[in-house]
Amino acid sequence: MSTPPVQKTSPTFVGMPKFPTAAREALANTQQRSNLRNATHTIREKRAAVVAEVPEWEALRLAGAAAKDEALHHLGDYLEQVEASLTANGATVHWARDADEANQIVVDIARSKGVDEVVKVKSMATQEIELNEALEAAGISAWETDLAELIVQLFGDRPSHILVPAIHRNRTEIRDVFLREMATFGRPAPEDLTDDPARLAEAARLHLREKFLRAKVAVSGANFAIADTGTLVVVESEGNGRMCLTLPETLISVVGIEKVLPTWDDLAPMLQLLPRSSTGERMNPYTTMWSGVHDDDGPQEVHVILLDNGRSHVLADSVGRQALRCIRCSACLNVCPVYERTGGHAYGSVYPGPIGAVLNPQLRGTASEVDQSLPYASSLCGACFDACPVRINIPELLVELRGTVAQQGGHRAESAAMKAAAWVLSDPRRLAVAQKGATTAGRLIGKRTVRSVPGLGAWTDARDVPTPPKETFRQWWVREHDGREGERPGPGRADGIPGKEGETR
Ligand code: SF4
């Protein structure tokens, strides 16, 4: 057998700049913005149509959130149960505290099988731990078999969407990269390849088939891990996952500890919520479930790596832990006005969009510039909360995280402004003086527009400053109510504005 070609190195997200810097660069890419707009609007409309078909959608959302909360509130117990069930089914369970431990376990298993390549099912957990890079460092090529992941890998690119990692690429770009790169890594694309989706899918299918048939080891993640039956579940649209999960002799599944569901019955709402929220379909074309090892049927050696990598830290936060309900459907990305314009790379992680803006700083901490900036990568419009099938209140988490960042001394200008505002608002006399100053400024400015304020350039560069009103509400009230402020007489009022005695309405 000929030596398989070596995997192409993709850049990681390590060292990415803070969100505003990366977003500015992304906004200048008009082709990408056009691709993103088309793709997000198409998925968004498909989702809205299939969700509208389900009258009990809100009840399903509540059931999905309740199942995840039950698992999270008793996670230690359910993890022990899933370990026992999987072991009883013939799987070997490993525990990994962090990315290094998980990667080492996968490398060791692959080496013990004497292979220099593995095939992969699309998996966020393995991207999070940068497994492909770890395997490559160990001399083992990792072949992505999901079409979009294959495209990203051929480009030597980073994923920019949870569900559609190549969402920033259009059909012409994909045809070009197939013609340019496929031959380097295996079966070449047909010379007369067009950008017709069916022709592109056929080229990918033929290219991948030889890898499926050759691979001895496959690596997957899992959408769900059922504690009472010891069953792992993967949903997908292309059938590549089914090939990886059934053909190779050894299967290694890297599963985040938050993927546990208590019982088989909890799967029912999830299998309705997930496809409608992610691809806008009533059900997933392929739902593969595997429970350990079965004689002469599927992989004869199954390893499951239960991955923490910061999740215990998130779990300890009573507000933040709701982010662990996430089933990675990507509905929040597709409705987000910020994501639609910047794309996923600006978030500096494999988890982009609204869920990335809360999950990354929680998993990684807020020490880096990029993680400090992510909670601010939102207009707080709330569309993500409305779309989320497991009711994660992302705006609430963003505000919480902004508080954390401010307390740690990040965003100094905003932190100082908030402290000053708190000082003014905590005393009626200070507020009155501030209001008087603002109304005086308003009278001086008149009808002119304020285009910039020294020291607030980052804010005023993009917006006009509202002109202060010529009269405050208090002043108006006093003027309209015969000089009375509430029940108190005019003299001694906090704002010090004399009432207009005798004025009547
Ligand atoms: S936060 Fe909600 S909407 Fe966003 S990916 Fe996760 S489950 Fe889907």
Side-chain angles (χ1 to χ4, degrees), residues 162 326-333 355 384 387-390 392 394:
I162 290 175
C326 178
I327 55 174
R328 313 279 191 262
C329 72
S330 74
C332 57
L333 279 66
I355 185 61
C384 47
C388 179
V390 284
I392 300 173
I394 294 176

Side-chain angles (χ1 to χ4, degrees), residues 3 7-8 50 56 65 115 132 167 177 225 230 243 248 293 335 342 357 374 382 392-393 422 440 461 463 501:
T3 309
Q7 161 199 341
K8 184 171 186 173
V50 294
E56 67 277 20
V115 299
N132 290 10
I167 196 169
V177 82
M243 302 277 267
V293 176
V335 297
T342 64
L374 286 177
I392 300 173
N393 192 337
T440 304
D461 282 353
R463 330 168 163 74
E501 296 296 333

Side-chain angles (χ1 to χ4, degrees), residues 41-205:
H41 281 244
T42 303
I43 306 174
R44 189 190 301 184
E45 281 155 25
K46 276 181 76 182
R47 175 199 164 272
V50 294
V51 165
E53 294 172 352
V54 185
E56 67 277 20
W57 184 251
E58 276 311 306
L60 276 174
R61 287 178 84 205
L62 287 165
K68 292 296 277 189
D69 280 348
E70 166 65 20
L72 293 171
H73 287 146
H74 307 283
L75 190 57
D77 296 337
Y78 287 120
L79 283 171
E80 285 182 7
Q81 191 181 5
V82 88
E83 180 186 30
S85 309
L86 282 163
T87 307
N89 291 340
T92 304
V93 176
H94 310 257
W95 297 83
R97 269 171 295 203
D98 55 27
D100 288 345
E101 283 191 5
N103 287 334
Q104 193 58 54
I105 294 166
V106 179
V107 168
D108 289 346
I109 297 169
R111 279 192 175 140
S112 74
K113 300 294 153 198
V115 299
D116 54 13
E117 63 174 352
V118 301
V119 285
K120 280 188 70 208
V121 189
K122 176 174 161 29
S123 149
M124 300 304 296
T126 59
Q127 288 177 17
E128 174 191 325
I129 61 175
E130 296 178 353
L131 175 63
N132 290 10
E133 291 72 20
L135 285 167
E136 190 189 354
I140 300 164
S141 294
W143 304 119
E144 296 289 351
T145 63
D146 171 86
L147 176 56
E149 291 290 358
L150 170 69
I151 293 164
V152 168
Q153 193 169 40
L154 289 174
F155 270 108
D157 201 354
R158 303 180 182 95
S160 66
H161 190 276
I162 290 175
L163 185 73
V164 199
I167 196 169
H168 54 296
R169 302 289 186 180
N170 63 23
R171 284 191 275 154
T172 310
E173 292 175 289
I174 293 165
R175 182 204 56 197
D176 292 347
V177 82
F178 277 17
L179 288 169
R180 199 172 61 237
E181 300 288 348
M182 266 187 175
T184 317
F185 306 107
R187 182 181 174 125
E191 283 176 11
D192 63 346
L193 184 65
T194 67
D195 64 2
D196 174 40
R199 295 285 317 275
L200 294 172
E202 175 70 4
R205 199 174 291 126

